[in-house]
Amino acid sequence: MEYDVVIVGAGPSGLAAACRLRQLSIDLSVCVVEKGSEVGAHILSGAVFEPTALNELFPDWKEQGAPLNTPVQGDEIYVLRDEQKSVRVPGALIPKTMHNEGNYIISLGNLCRWLGQQAENLGVEIYPGFAAAEVLFHDDGRVKGVATGDAGVSASGEHKDSYTQGMELHAKYTLFAEGCRGHLGKQLIERFGLDKGRGTQHYGIGIKELWEIPAARHRQGLVIHSAGWPLAQNGAHGGGFLYHIEDNQVSLGLITDLGYSNPFLSPFEEFQRYKQHPLIRQYLEGGKRIAYGARAITKGGPQALPRMSFPGGLLIGCDAGTLNFAKIKGSHTAMKSGLVAAETVHAALTGEGREGEELSGFTEAFMASWAGRELHLQRNFGPAQHRFGNILGSAYAFVDINLFNGKLPWTFSDDAPDHEQLEPAAQAKRIEYPKPDGVLSFDRLSSVFLSNTNHEEDQPCHLTLRDPEVPIRHNLALYDEPAQRFCPAGVYEIVDAAGGGKRLQINAQNCVHCKTCDIKDPTQNIVWVTPEGGGGPNYPNM
């Protein structure tokens, strides 16, 4: 199938680009492919949403019914000293980027569903349940489009009765908007050397739950952020959040920086501990957990942003790494990257009559936009957290951002990749996590059940190993196989082998597509590839 523009991923950046392209020209044919079973099925975020880019895309979004229903009414930030104590940070000492006046607490999945409807109203073709599995190239090396994966293939590679061959989608330009650690974006960065001369990318894993709580405990519009315990107790960085949305619901979660060093640390178990803190527990008691999910975030800052253009296409949103870590927000900057991409592609296809050439000015155009300037202002926030810790790092950020408006004449670097940070298990402190109480804390399998995750069982495993012997020969021996702990879905287990010894069992059906294994595996032996389209979580309103 031939299109002017093919977009991979129906997230904020991809849908913003699709809508803008059709706003600019109804003569451009635009197609969006989405691996989730529906638009929004794989979308997970906190989320406090800044509507700047949405205001540009649809100035009348309120009249059109965009699901921004809960304005932020209160902002509170705490340092959790230990499992009992907390200290509230005075507003005057908080970096200005973390103030949320004018923002909304939303379900990003529901916003994407609404954006998808607007895109279809504008004439965009959207195909959910079709996973882009392969990048296609012209003979001269330009990107030609993508191929969706075959369906109905057995685990042994044979064609089942339900076999359906994938489709080739050809385009003059292809935009990759897969989100953090997109598996095609990762290939493109390597093939075209897009990260050459750039800083090292860094990541976090966000684990989130949605709760329905008693009305007496609910404060609609309240935003709470925290740092310190429990992660600091185990030498890790990150922070928690709890947002009061409409309908007596709260969304809460913990973001763990994936640069942690202790191989016994479990981000999932740290989150279970987080909910036991009196500051958080006071809102959850008497409530009911109704949804669960996890997703990695890209947070290396503008110094780690790769070149976002290559012959025949662009990287946009978190596929490139446009998150503003100092704001703990990325949807507005992702959307802006989609808007700039659409305008750049439109100019190339219409006014300039170019097809498939590299749009080499796109990265500079994005960085010259308000989103790029915003990222530059906060460029030292993340590296300062790594260098000085959450508390002192935030103090540095206050001086850098509030007093100097990001104009201090230096840029911190952090060049050690997250996967190289683990220390050997023999040198690490073993962490004994408490058993779940079934009231506030839970196990992985009951959590995955709430994510509505499902994969066709008889299909090739999408969690591939470069070398099947590495998990036991290297990772188990040196790190006690950390995949059993860093995965938030119970995918990886060490079990007894039939002939004696141990083996790694991969429960791929549990995978929530968070990409943590692809990022944190110390040998980079695990490679996440796309499963059959429509597989994975089915988040209702995350």
Side-chain angles (χ1 to χ4, degrees), residues 203-499:
Y203 304 88
I205 172 63
I207 301 176
K208 175 185 174 180
E209 291 178 350
L210 190 66
W211 282 64
E212 189 176 85
I213 64 173
R217 299 181 184 273
H218 189 251
R219 295 172 56 189
Q220 185 163 324
L222 175 63
V223 168
I224 295 175
H225 288 114
S226 70
W229 188 89
L231 292 171
Q233 184 179 17
N234 289 316
H237 299 148
F241 64 88
L242 189 148
Y243 305 150
H244 290 248
I245 54 178
E246 62 267 25
D247 300 326
N248 292 331
Q249 293 183 357
V250 294
S251 63
L252 72 153
L254 185 71
I255 298 173
T256 302
D257 189 314
L258 286 177
Y260 66 82
S261 61
N262 189 328
F264 295 110
L265 185 136
S266 164
F268 176 86
E269 299 292 355
E270 294 291 320
F271 175 49
Q272 304 311 308
R273 296 173 71 207
Y274 173 72
K275 290 181 287 181
Q276 300 287 356
H277 196 281
L279 177 71
I280 305 303
R281 189 175 64 226
Q282 65 177 321
Y283 297 109
L284 302 182
E285 287 181 332
K288 179 184 179 182
R289 187 176 69 145
I290 56 179
Y292 167 86
R295 187 69 170 96
I297 63 171
T298 313
K299 61 179 195 64
Q303 54 269 66
L305 198 70
R307 190 173 88 246
M308 299 165 71
S309 65
F310 45 87
L314 302 173
L315 284 180
I316 60 176
C318 284
D319 222 349
T322 58
L323 177 99
N324 184 333
F325 189 39
K327 282 189 173 181
I328 321 177
K329 295 177 187 65
S331 300
H332 66 301
T333 46
M335 289 182 67
K336 182 60 176 177
S337 74
L339 299 182
V340 177
E343 291 156 6
T344 303
V345 169
H346 174 262
L349 292 180
T350 57
E352 301 170 15
R354 298 161 61 189
E355 292 186 12
E357 298 178 24
E358 179 167 355
L359 304 178
S360 55
F362 170 62
T363 306
E364 290 72 20
F366 172 71
M367 291 305 297
S369 72
W370 58 257
R373 294 193 299 271
E374 181 181 299
L375 293 181
H376 179 77
L377 181 148
Q378 62 86 51
R379 67 195 180 282
N380 288 326
F381 183 90
Q385 302 281 316
H386 287 185
R387 184 174 297 196
F388 307 124
N390 288 138
I391 310 304
L392 292 179
S394 296
Y396 170 86
F398 175 84
V399 173
D400 188 358
I401 295 172
N402 285 36
L403 303 185
F404 289 92
N405 205 36
K407 295 181 180 178
L408 289 172
W410 54 73
T411 297
F412 291 155
S413 63
D414 186 357
D415 295 328
D418 294 334
H419 69 271
E420 294 182 358
Q421 298 305 299
L422 289 178
E423 60 185 352
Q427 302 173 17
K429 171 190 172 185
R430 186 173 290 273
I431 304 172
E432 299 294 340
Y433 290 107
K435 293 183 178 180
D437 59 21
V439 178
L440 294 182
S441 58
F442 304 90
D443 62 20
R444 283 175 171 81
L445 295 186
S446 66
S447 300
V448 172
F449 178 79
L450 288 180
S451 71
N452 303 303
T453 294
N454 183 59
H455 294 87
E456 176 64 41
E457 187 166 352
D458 185 18
Q459 66 169 298
C461 181
H462 68 281
L463 301 161
T464 64
L465 302 177
R466 298 182 194 272
D467 182 346
E469 295 186 8
V470 163
I472 303 302
R473 187 183 69 231
H474 185 278
N475 286 2
L476 182 62
L478 190 57
Y479 302 111
D480 196 43
E481 186 46 270
Q484 10 177 17
R485 289 174 290 276
F486 61 56
C487 173
V491 170
Y492 300 96
E493 288 185 279
I494 296 295
V495 299
D496 293 329

Side-chain angles (χ1 to χ4, degrees), residues 10 32-40 120 125-131 533-534:
V32 178
V33 289
E34 163 57 39
K35 65 182 174 67
S37 60
E38 64 170 355
V39 173
E120 289 184 328
E125 295 181 28
I126 301 180
Y127 297 106
F130 288 86

